[in-house]
Amino acid sequence: MADASNQAFYDRADAHIELSNEQLKTCENLGEVSASMMFGTTRFNAWASARNFKSAAEMADAREAMLKYFCDQYRMMLEDNLDDHINNFSRYSAVQAPE
């Protein structure tokens, strides 16, 4: 994973979140916007991963390792963010409560 203590890391993440928030202005379905963001992330990660290989066969051999890496990273980041929202629920939900 990138160095999460690096401000540029958070700035890039915030830019993606800002784009999703903008999309919510024209698509009120939060699940659809979330799914699009996740799909875009997986598509970008597949493309970025492919750049590290010389052939499809070489990439295919590393497929399971890549899946494990990305799934482990996603789970770790999701756990951190879920814990953050649980620990700060009152503060975060005061901003935007679901109907």
Side-chain angles (χ1 to χ4, degrees), residues 57-77:
E58 183 183 357
M59 187 175 179
D61 289 342
R63 184 178 187 276
E64 288 305 314
M66 288 186 291
L67 283 169
K68 179 173 179 7
Y69 170 78
F70 284 114
C71 289
D72 288 350
Q73 290 296 304
Y74 181 85
R75 182 179 182 100
M76 181 182 66
M77 292 178 199

Side-chain angles (χ1 to χ4, degrees), residues 36-57:
S36 295
M37 184 181 205
M38 193 168 6
F39 178 78
T41 298
T42 61
R43 195 159 132 183
F44 181 84
N45 287 336
W47 172 80
S49 295
R51 296 182 56 159
N52 294 312
F53 299 98
K54 291 182 171 55
S55 70

Side-chain angles (χ1 to χ4, degrees), residues 16-26 30 33 96:
H16 292 287
I17 293 166
E18 286 176 32
L19 175 60
S20 291
N21 286 333
E22 280 297 312
Q23 291 173 349
L24 284 172
K25 292 177 181 177
T26 57
L30 182 62
V33 173
Q96 210 172 331

